[in-house]
Amino acid sequence: MDILAQLLDAPNAALIIDEVNHRLDDEREKRIRFYNDIDESVKAEFINGEIILHSPVTRAHALAVATISRRLGIYVELHQLGEIHIEKSMIRLTRNDYEPDICFFSTEKSREFTPDQKLFPAPDLVVEVLSKSTEKVDRGIKFQDYAAHGVGEYWIVDTVEKAVEQYVLREGVFELVLRSHGTDIYADQVTGFVLQVKTLFND
C-alpha cells in the first residue's frame, strides 16, 4: 500500500483522486462498448482501458493448448471436478477482461453458470501459452491480476524453451513452485492433475 500512503501524503491528493475517478468513468464506458462490439469471431481482451486484439497463433501454440486441454479435460471429467474452458471464455475481473488459453472452474463455481453466460469469474486454474505478442502481458498485468483475484494456480507454457512454469497462490502472491523442461508438473492446489511435460512438446 505504499502508493496509497504516498497519495494521502500529497497536498493535491483530492485533485489526483478526482482525475483518477474521471478516467475510470471513461474506461467503464469504453468497457461497456467493448462488450457490445465483440463477437465470437474475434479473440479480444480489455486491459487497463485498451482493447487488445489477438492475431492467429503458431502451430506450436495451438498444439500445446490442444494437448493440455485434452488431457486436463479428461481428468476433470473423470473425477467430476468442474469445467474446462478453452481460449474463448471471457474472464471478467474488477477492471480487466481476459480470454485465457485454458482455464478451469471448480464445481462450486461452475454449478452457478448458465447456458447463455458470456462473462465468467476468476477461474481456479489458468494456463497461458506464451507468444511474442503476449508474453509481456502474461508475465505482467495478467500475472498480478490473476493473483489479486484469487486464481489458485497459474501455468505459463513456453513452446520455444519447451518449458512450463507452475505458480501457486500463497498469501495473495504467486510463488514459483517449479520450472520444468522434463519433470512432471502437479496442480496440487487445484485438481491434482499431473502434466507430463516431457511428452507435451512431442505431440
Side-chain angles (χ1 to χ4, degrees):
M1 293 300 244
D2 290 340
I3 296 177
L4 178 58
Q6 293 174 21
L7 174 61
L8 292 176
D9 284 341
N12 61 338
L15 294 175
I16 295 173
I17 292 172
D18 285 344
E19 178 62 21
V20 169
N21 285 332
H22 175 70
R23 294 192 184 188
L24 289 177
D25 285 341
D26 289 343
E27 186 177 297
R28 281 189 281 269
E29 291 181 7
K30 188 175 182 181
R31 194 178 188 186
I32 292 173
R33 293 197 297 272
F34 167 72
Y35 291 149
N36 292 333
D37 291 343
I38 58 172
D39 58 41
E40 295 178 356
S41 66
V42 177
K43 181 170 182 178
E45 298 179 315
F46 189 86
I47 303 177
N48 289 356
E50 297 298 324
I51 297 172
I52 310 298
L53 299 176
H54 292 279
S55 59
V57 299
T58 65
R59 176 176 178 269
H61 185 290
L63 288 176
V65 171
T67 300
I68 296 173
S69 61
R70 181 175 67 250
R71 295 176 183 176
L72 179 58
I74 291 172
Y75 181 89
V76 166
E77 183 177 0
L78 180 64
H79 296 277
Q80 299 182 342
L81 300 175
E83 294 182 2
I84 297 293
H85 291 205
I86 306 169
E87 294 186 312
K88 293 295 293 174
S89 287
M90 183 72 73
I91 306 304
R92 187 178 193 275
L93 302 184
T94 305
R95 184 181 181 187
N96 298 318
D97 300 278
Y98 306 115
E99 291 190 334
D101 290 314
I102 304 168
C103 55
F104 162 76
F105 298 96
S106 66
T107 302
E108 183 179 0
K109 288 184 180 179
S110 61
R111 67 163 59 101
E112 303 296 328
F113 297 167
T114 62
D116 59 348
Q117 186 165 336
K118 292 184 177 180
L119 299 176
F120 297 88
D124 297 278
L125 167 68
V126 169
V127 180
E128 295 283 12
V129 180
L130 298 180
S131 65
K132 290 182 179 179
S133 62
T134 66
E135 180 169 7
K136 183 177 179 181
V137 171
D138 291 341
R139 294 190 180 280
I141 185 66
K142 284 189 178 183
F143 189 93
Q144 299 171 31
D145 221 355
Y146 289 150
H149 288 83
V151 174
E153 196 156 334
Y154 184 35
W155 294 0
I156 294 178
V157 180
D158 188 333
T159 60
V160 176
E161 296 293 328
K162 296 186 176 181
V164 179
E165 298 170 16
Q166 179 192 22
Y167 296 89
V168 172
L169 190 66
R170 291 175 179 164
E171 298 183 357
V173 178
F174 280 137
E175 180 178 319
L176 179 63
V177 174
L178 185 64
R179 188 176 194 275
S180 174
H181 288 270
T183 55
D184 291 343
I185 293 285
Y186 296 84
D188 292 330
Q189 305 297 313
V190 182
T191 66
F193 167 72
V194 178
L195 173 66
Q196 296 181 318
V197 178
K198 61 185 177 182
T199 64
L200 175 60
F201 304 104
N202 295 327
D203 285 8

